[in-house]
Amino acid sequence: RANMVAKATGLPEDLYHDLVAKAEQAIKTSLRQRPVNVKDAVVKERGFKTLRQRSVEVSEFSYRPVACEHDYRVVVVRKNISIE
């Protein structure tokens, strides 16, 4: 909705903070050797664009629709995506 997008883009920069993803549990085994990424080579060879997510920032604000009696918490996610 346009009003929600306007509120999210109007938030000050200092309210956004990096999203930290936590592991569910500690890994008890040794890491395996990763295979060669064949898909990357094919994508570059054929000339397609590659979208890579660099970071994720989150913020929140309170929102009350006109006909409601209580506020809702709205969480905003902003992703930094690079094009290669």
Side-chain angles (χ1 to χ4, degrees):
R1 300 202 175 259
N3 63 336
M4 299 297 266
V5 172
K7 275 192 129 186
T9 55
L11 289 174
E13 287 293 321
D14 59 340
L15 290 181
Y16 282 95
H17 60 279
D18 290 334
L19 177 66
V20 179
K22 297 179 181 176
E24 292 180 9
Q25 57 185 343
I27 300 172
K28 297 179 182 179
T29 60
S30 60
L31 295 176
R32 66 177 176 87
Q33 184 177 359
R34 304 246 345 148
V36 178
N37 192 349
V38 178
K39 184 178 178 181
D40 255 357
V42 172
V43 168
K44 287 179 184 178
E45 177 185 310
R46 294 184 183 180
F48 293 110
K49 295 177 185 175
T50 302
L51 303 176
R52 299 209 186 268
Q53 181 175 305
R54 296 295 174 201
S55 64
V56 178
E57 297 174 327
V58 294
S59 184
E60 62 182 62
F61 62 88
S62 178
Y63 175 70
R64 175 183 277 182
V66 177
C68 292
E69 295 181 5
H70 63 279
D71 292 345
Y72 290 93
R73 181 177 135 213
V74 179
V75 177
V76 180
V77 177
R78 181 169 63 180
K79 295 184 178 184
N80 181 7
I81 299 174
S82 67
I83 302 172
E84 298 174 358

